[in-house]
Amino acid sequence: MADDTVILTPRTRDLAGWQKLVTRLPLPRHAYLDGEWQNAASGRTFTARNPANGEPLVEVAACDAADVERAVTVARRTFEDAEWRDLPPTERKACMLAWADAITTHADEIALLETLETGKPIGQTTSVDVPGLVGGLRWYAEALDKLYGETAPNGASSVCLIDREPVGVVAAVVPWNYPLIIAGWKLGPALGAGNSVILKPAEQSTLATLRVAELARHAGIPAGALQVITGLGHEAGQALGLHPDIDAIGFTGSTEIGKKFLEYSAHSNMKRIGLECGGKSPHIVTRDVDDLDRIAMYVAYGVWYNQGETCHAGTRLIVDRSIKDDLLARVRQWADKLQPGDPLDPESQMGAMIEPEHADKVMDYLQQGRDEGARLLFGGERVRRDSGGDFITPAIFDDVTNDMRIAREEIFGPVLVVIPVDGLDEALEVANDTDYGLGAAIWTNRLNDGHRAARALRAGTVWVNCYDHTSINAPFGGFKQSGQGRDKSLHAFDKYTELKTTWIELDD
Ligand code: NAD
């Protein structure tokens, strides 16, 4: 695809305009290796589908170990040639900023690709996902020439320097729920530090990623510094995990597959594994609050945004019994506003579930909740069935206990479980009684309780009197089985750099 394919204009941003543009939108279908579009060596493909109507979009190259071998050879050669890593940091920065600019130029086209393949509403891919990617890349571009080394204080007779070096060849393996934003969280620090990166998007969300990667070349990033391996997880993903010449993996996805990457590392070259995995985040509302309308909005968006397909979704509402019914009445009003719609309609607030198998899994959990004795207050219906896509309405289960499967397992759909409690101590105990530790939140007017909860909650991010407030300069990641290491902020460079100590003796 050339660099000037389709640039949409604001004029086209209504349902009819987006629908029309779909018909002439080029769909990437090949892996992007060494700056070229490539079929899989085996010639095999998989089908990319549109979750909003179930129809095939395009056949995409299904890479396997042979293609991974090729990509790693190119990546290693680029790293050894130092074509990218030894470019002066200000020049690397300029390339990454130019790349971010190119993505911005093509923002609407890229957002449309993401909407088509993930079923997310176009209003969100244009306003959140693509700007999130661009913002992340810009932030790391600006940071990369400000990473100073250190000097260790070892006395007058020596100089002891501590520098950061790129780790080498990095594979970024990412999920389908925020494919571009999360790719940016890996690519920003990994490329910024001078590594050669091989990106593997989830098989459900390949197309927008390919378009973004292609633009990197036009911005001056060498072909071997950023490649994209398309393919299935147990083939292409596993081959990356087991490859003996990959130095680090930046993984985001399920806890189950995250654990596999630890095994891959153990069974190959002990490559460094960064993990961002699942969650079951508690959202506590104490009795000491006075603005239930505002809290209800945060509860609703905290769990239902992105169809509930969000790792840090506030899926467990742990609410003081004395205010529970008042709060739920207000949350329900938000559910009415967040009904699923056509993802191409800029007015839609919720889109389609990623694929039929996943929608079935969510529906199974809804049945499981009923069987366990929880009370489905509303929602949890499959709607818009004529479309051919899988749309599920926002659901609330009341009278949930924390031992039920719907309270313990990641549903990854628009399902809120409500656990009534009496007082803060019980709320904190329930909140921490989970295998996960990604996000947590508490609403309270009592300063001491807010501080106490922030210390007590075992989660990578604790929100006090808000939910999902975020910035690229704040670390993001999980305690417990939600992961290892952090994305975002300067701390993300730790995953993709080695510390080098150089000891220079001055005395003869
Ligand atoms: P997933 O684990 O199924 O897949 C993630 C990636 O791993 C994909 O690229 C996939 O192709 C690959 N993969 C799948 N099986 C593999 C295997 N056997 N070997 C190697 N690679 C394999 O996750 P998903 O369904 O794409 O995404 C949803 C999950 O991601 C949820 O659990 C969610 O909580 C998690 N997630 C976490 C964060 C975070 O920052 N902590 C962010 C977003 C999503």
Side-chain angles (χ1 to χ4, degrees), residues 173-177 182 200-203 233-234 237-238 251-254 257 260-261 264 276-279 311 410 412 438 476:
V173 181
V174 298
W176 46 261
N177 64 333
I182 291 172
K200 198 209 87 62
E203 45 272 43
H234 65 279
Q238 176 169 317
F251 172 80
T252 296
S254 61
I257 303 300
K260 280 192 190 293
F261 274 93
Y264 299 152
E276 301 291 337
C277 298
C311 50
E410 189 180 40
F412 224 54
L438 195 51
F476 183 76

Side-chain angles (χ1 to χ4, degrees), residues 29-33 36-46 59-71 198-201 203 206 210 227-240:
R29 64 186 66 203
H30 301 105
Y32 191 62
L33 305 178
E36 311 260 330
W37 296 118
Q38 298 285 339
N39 290 317
S42 67
R44 287 186 305 121
T45 60
F46 66 91
E59 289 295 311
V60 180
C63 295
D64 60 19
D67 308 288
V68 165
E69 189 60 44
R70 176 166 177 212
I198 302 167
L199 174 63
K200 198 209 87 62
E203 45 272 43
T206 300
L210 286 167
Q227 303 176 88
V228 182
I229 280 281
T230 53
L232 307 180
H234 65 279
E235 295 178 351
Q238 176 169 317
L240 290 165

Side-chain angles (χ1 to χ4, degrees), residues 171 173 186 248-253 258 261-262 271-277 483-487 495-496:
V173 181
K186 315 287 186 203
I249 300 267
F251 172 80
T252 296
F261 274 93
L262 295 174
K271 58 177 69 63
R272 190 184 297 181
I273 305 290
L275 297 176
E276 301 291 337
C277 298
Q484 298 183 1
R486 293 292 179 268
D487 276 343
K495 286 186 184 174
Y496 308 112

Side-chain angles (χ1 to χ4, degrees), residues 322-353:
S322 61
I323 58 159
K324 185 194 71 166
D325 290 341
D326 282 352
L327 178 62
L328 291 187
R330 290 166 167 83
V331 176
R332 180 177 189 141
Q333 289 170 7
W334 280 101
D336 292 340
K337 292 182 198 159
L338 297 177
Q339 293 298 305
D342 182 344
L344 285 179
D345 184 344
E347 300 299 319
S348 292
Q349 296 281 325
M350 266 178 81
M353 307 305 294

Side-chain angles (χ1 to χ4, degrees), residues 28 270 303 393 405 454 498:
M270 219 165 86
V303 64
T393 58
R405 274 185 59 202
E498 292 281 11

Side-chain angles (χ1 to χ4, degrees), residues 70-202:
R70 176 166 177 212
V72 174
T73 302
V74 171
R76 177 61 61 190
R77 191 187 65 223
T78 304
F79 188 71
E80 296 303 334
D81 290 352
E83 214 181 322
W84 175 243
R85 78 170 150 145
D86 280 358
L87 211 57
T90 48
E91 289 180 33
R92 281 211 307 277
K93 166 170 132 177
C95 291
M96 289 187 60
L97 289 174
W99 184 27
D101 289 346
I103 296 168
T104 304
T105 303
H106 295 273
D108 287 352
E109 172 198 351
I110 292 164
L112 184 54
L113 285 171
E114 193 179 81
T115 284
L116 285 180
E117 61 187 340
T118 64
K120 283 165 180 268
I122 190 77
Q124 292 168 10
T125 51
T126 50
S127 67
V128 176
D129 295 81
V130 176
L133 165 69
V134 169
L137 294 178
R138 286 208 172 114
W139 195 85
Y140 283 104
E142 289 293 351
L144 72 87
D145 63 349
K146 298 164 189 78
L147 290 178
Y148 292 88
E150 300 166 17
T151 310
N154 282 317
S157 62
S158 63
V159 176
C160 186
L161 305 173
I162 303 167
D163 293 310
R164 276 180 191 273
E165 293 186 358
V167 67
V169 176
V170 171
V173 181
V174 298
W176 46 261
N177 64 333
Y178 293 94
L180 295 179
I181 292 179
I182 291 172
W185 293 352
K186 315 287 186 203
L187 296 174
L191 273 176
N195 295 288
S196 297
V197 184
I198 302 167
L199 174 63
K200 198 209 87 62

